Amino acid sequence: MTAGSPSAAPTARALPVAEPSRTHRAALRLIRQDGRAFTAMIGLNALAAGAGLVGPWLLGRIIDEVGAGAPVASVDRLALIILVFALVQLVLARYAGYVGHRFGERTLARIREQFADRALALPAAVVERAGTGDLMTRGTSDVAAVGATLRDAGPQVLIAAVQAVFILGAVFALDPLLGGCGVLGLLGIWFAARWYLRRALTAYLAEGAANSALAEQLAATAAGARTVEALGLQQHRMAVCGKQIEECRATRDRTLFLRSVLFPAMNISYVVPVAGVLLIGGLLYDHGTISLGAVVASALYLRQLSQPLDIMLQQMEQLQSSRASFARIEGLGAAAQAPAATAAAPAGHRIEVAGVHYAYGAGGDVLHGVDLTVRPGERLVIVGPSGAGKTTLGRLLAGTGRPHTGSVTVGRIPVADLDPGQLRRHVVLVTQEHHVFLGTVRDNLRIASAHATDTELRAALAAVGAGWADELPDGLDTDLGHEGHRPDGSQAQQLALARVVLADPHTLILDEATALLDPRTARHAERALAAVLEGRTVIAIAHRLQTAYDADRVAVMEDGRLTELGTHDDLVAADGAYAALWRSWHGERPPAP
């Protein structure tokens, strides 16, 4: 069962990517949701970094004490203090890491839940335009990249950043001149990082888009494997996939190049501040303006600085990759937003199509000035040759698309402007595409009505002729899927029809909904639906013309236009396009002129 939902604003084929401002706001929102843990993580990291500063400073004191002829006991006491603070730093750092990991896991859980909610809220038209490959890549690779950052890279970089700030502060406290010398020596790191960061986000976004496109091509090839084999399209599909693989390789080469420039520049820059402090400190010591212990401590601090800087360097790629991934994940929120949902209730159930033109993407119109009125309680069948626009019109009637010219309204309210809750109560679209979700029979049915009782669920199954459900080992509690009962095509479609019964809309659009059922089962399901939905509007899109025989009216589509409208008998008597279709269906020859 597919419920109609508002069309999305994006017009491009790919799903949108969030702007930096939106990404930053989303990140801050996630931090505020677990603010106490985030604050504790920062505080513990600061304390651990402060404890780590004691060792080099005391080592400088030991050098000065030895130079001044201090006794061994004094040196031992300072050494013991160094050991104590090293242990304190270890404990604080480990606990800060524990708090950071818990923060990361909770935040990742929120991101996954939010992604699932947004993915389920996406209008069907948006998913169809974007393809499942992009959505799948965002939900797997991109979420995994963000998770790795929250679990590992994020806490490590935060710890390293706090340590770096404290170390530089300690050098300035020992001697401002040496501190300034150390900062100047770090300018190479600043320039290298700035060069990398200006290019990295664009490169990683391009890599993510290429991966999505490759996933889409591979999924399409796998899904159509039988068609590919039957038509001998193996070489063509291999060429298409090979071209996309080459695009992925090119984008990957770009990000590798950025790292190949960044890493050597950063490694060289580690040595510069240490060498500068030793040279300047040596001159100051010769002039008696600074102690030897202060010079050694400053050099040790700056040498110690390489460790947090190295961590930030190693994780910079992960941070940029996850930044791009988070922008792609957050972009799903823009695609899931309805552009102009209205809370106004439709005034009745009358459906009106007025002057509708519709095109897919930048292509030409597939519907041309369609006008149609569907009366409440009417059974209307839309027929026509393949490619005539029947399915497109059905989707517009269900609100899964929005015409670029004209209007489709129910009770004088544009169908595509209704919020999802209102739309599900008014219109439900059932197509040939059906899906069995992992879970029990009960889970699959309650998608349509979350609070339905078991009696109502069994009644819905009985209404569509799904007597097989009563014969399952655990009844409604039987698991469906790879490790449970595997419904065949007709059973899966009956589940979809049972969901329609439970949804209980006033208008039902059937796009060849019983095509996969055998004729006997299909007739039973259609009779059952007719009984359950008596008094409701039914719009059936059909290729099998026997469906049209019992309809109140028949609409004939040709080349995106509505060419005939009337009862079966009237259209046959008119001897137009419908009469020709009817004769062709029954194998009759047209009358001689």
Side-chain angles (χ1 to χ4, degrees):
M1 181 188 71
T2 303
S5 54
S7 61
T11 57
R13 187 175 187 276
L15 292 169
V17 175
E19 296 292 330
S21 58
R22 182 187 179 102
T23 305
H24 295 157
R25 288 195 301 271
L28 290 174
R29 184 171 62 251
L30 289 169
I31 290 173
R32 285 195 297 269
Q33 288 178 320
D34 204 356
R36 292 180 62 182
F38 186 78
T39 303
M41 180 172 58
I42 293 178
L44 289 168
N45 286 326
L47 291 173
L53 296 178
V54 175
W57 178 71
L58 289 178
L59 185 59
R61 285 283 308 275
I62 289 174
I63 293 174
D64 289 339
E65 291 283 337
V66 171
V72 174
S74 177
V75 175
D76 289 342
R77 184 175 63 256
L78 293 175
L80 180 60
I81 296 174
I82 292 175
L83 177 61
V84 170
F85 273 93
L87 292 174
V88 170
Q89 181 188 21
L90 176 62
V91 172
L92 289 172
R94 291 296 296 271
Y95 190 62
Y98 170 76
V99 173
H101 276 74
R102 288 180 60 84
F103 168 81
E105 289 296 340
R106 285 194 296 269
T107 304
L108 177 59
R110 293 188 181 98
I111 292 174
R112 290 187 186 278
E113 292 168 357
Q114 180 177 272
F115 181 88
D117 290 341
R118 289 174 171 177
L120 292 173
L122 283 176
V126 173
V127 178
E128 289 173 357
R129 286 199 303 267
T132 56
D134 192 9
L135 186 62
M136 180 180 65
T137 303
R138 295 184 189 220
T140 53
S141 300
D142 288 333
V143 170
V146 173
T149 297
L150 289 171
R151 261 191 324 270
D152 303 314
Q156 289 179 16
V157 169
L158 181 60
I159 294 171
V162 173
Q163 288 176 341
V165 170
F166 274 50
I167 290 171
L168 287 175
V171 176
F172 272 99
L174 285 171
D175 188 274
L177 183 57
L178 294 181
C181 179
V183 170
L184 287 176
L186 295 173
L187 287 179
I189 295 176
W190 183 83
F191 282 114
R194 186 170 181 268
W195 177 89
Y196 174 80
L197 293 175
R198 291 179 62 181
R199 295 162 175 79
L201 180 60
T202 301
Y204 280 108
L205 285 174
E207 185 178 342
N211 290 336
S212 292
L214 176 59
E216 179 68 23
Q217 291 294 345
L218 293 176
T221 302
R226 292 184 178 179
T227 302
V228 170
E229 183 178 3
L231 299 179
L233 299 176
Q234 293 92 334
Q235 293 300 321
H236 172 71
R237 294 307 304 171
M238 288 177 65
V240 171
C241 292
K243 181 179 179 181
Q244 198 57 57
I245 290 172
E246 179 62 24
E247 178 66 22
C248 288
R249 186 197 63 79
T251 58
R252 183 63 174 168
D253 284 348
R254 173 61 177 167
T255 56
L256 287 172
F257 167 74
L258 295 179
R259 294 196 299 277
S260 70
V261 173
L262 175 67
F263 286 7
M266 297 284 278
N267 287 331
I268 293 173
S269 298
Y270 291 157
V271 182
V272 174
V274 178
V277 164
L278 289 174
L279 290 173
I280 300 299
L283 292 175
L284 294 175
Y285 175 71
D286 284 341
H287 287 79
T289 58
I290 192 173
S291 69
L292 180 60
V295 174
V296 171
S298 297
L300 287 173
Y301 278 137
L302 292 173
R303 184 67 186 91
Q304 193 181 64
L305 186 63
S306 65
Q307 181 181 1
L309 291 179
D310 199 46
I311 290 174
M312 287 190 284
L313 166 64
Q314 293 173 4
Q315 299 297 342
M316 191 175 293
E317 177 195 4
Q318 176 66 35
L319 290 175
Q320 290 306 302
S321 176
S322 63
R323 180 186 175 193
S325 293
F326 188 58
R328 284 163 51 81
I329 294 170
E330 192 60 28
L332 207 64
Q337 291 175 351
T342 177
H349 302 322
R350 188 183 187 89
I351 295 176
E352 294 180 312
V353 180
V356 164
H357 290 256
Y358 183 80
Y360 290 99
D365 283 356
V366 295
L367 294 181
H368 309 273
V370 176
D371 294 291
L372 176 67
T373 298
V374 184
R375 299 184 292 267
E378 181 179 21
R379 183 178 177 87
L380 175 73
V381 173
I382 303 174
V383 301
S386 297
K390 304 185 298 298
T391 295
T392 300
L393 178 59
R395 291 182 177 275
L396 294 182
L397 290 169
T400 58
R402 185 187 298 271
H404 64 76
T405 302
S407 63
V408 180
T409 62
V410 55
R412 300 180 182 177
I413 300 294
V415 177
D417 285 352
L418 295 174
D419 65 59
Q422 284 184 317
L423 194 53
R424 281 191 291 271
R425 291 191 295 271
H426 285 84
V427 182
V428 166
L429 170 66
V430 182
T431 70
Q432 297 180 42
E433 302 171 1
H434 50 271
H435 187 75
V436 177
F437 297 91
L438 293 178
T440 64
V441 176
R442 182 183 288 103
D443 295 334
N444 271 265
L445 295 177
R446 282 185 171 170
I447 292 172
S449 180
H451 303 294
T453 64
D454 286 359
T455 300
E456 291 170 332
L457 299 182
R458 291 190 177 92
L461 289 169
V464 297
W468 53 268
D470 291 329
E471 301 173 2
L472 295 175
D474 298 317
L476 295 176
D477 292 319
T478 302
D479 285 323
L480 302 179
H482 297 299
E483 297 182 359
H485 175 73
R486 296 188 181 187
D488 57 26
S490 64
Q491 291 175 345
Q493 199 154 35
Q494 286 173 323
L495 283 174
L497 294 176
R499 288 196 287 261
V500 171
V501 175
L502 291 166
D504 195 23
H506 77 67
T507 297
L508 175 64
I509 301 174
L510 302 174
D511 187 356
E512 285 296 304
T514 58
L516 295 181
L517 303 181
D518 60 81
R520 180 179 177 182
T521 306
R523 285 193 297 272
H524 178 75
E526 289 168 357
R527 285 196 301 268
L529 275 174
V532 172
L533 299 178
E534 184 177 357
R536 291 170 172 76
T537 307
V538 178
I539 303 173
I541 300 168
H543 294 283
R544 299 182 297 187
L545 293 190
Q546 74 266 21
T547 307
Y549 184 80
D550 297 324
D552 296 327
R553 286 192 300 165
V554 179
V556 182
M557 296 288 297
E558 293 183 284
D559 297 324
R561 293 177 171 83
L562 181 62
T563 57
E564 292 184 317
L565 181 66
T567 66
H568 166 79
D569 292 338
D570 290 343
L571 294 182
V572 170
D575 198 25
Y578 178 77
L581 286 172
W582 183 257
R583 286 192 297 267
S584 175
W585 178 260
H586 287 278
E588 300 177 8
R589 294 183 179 180

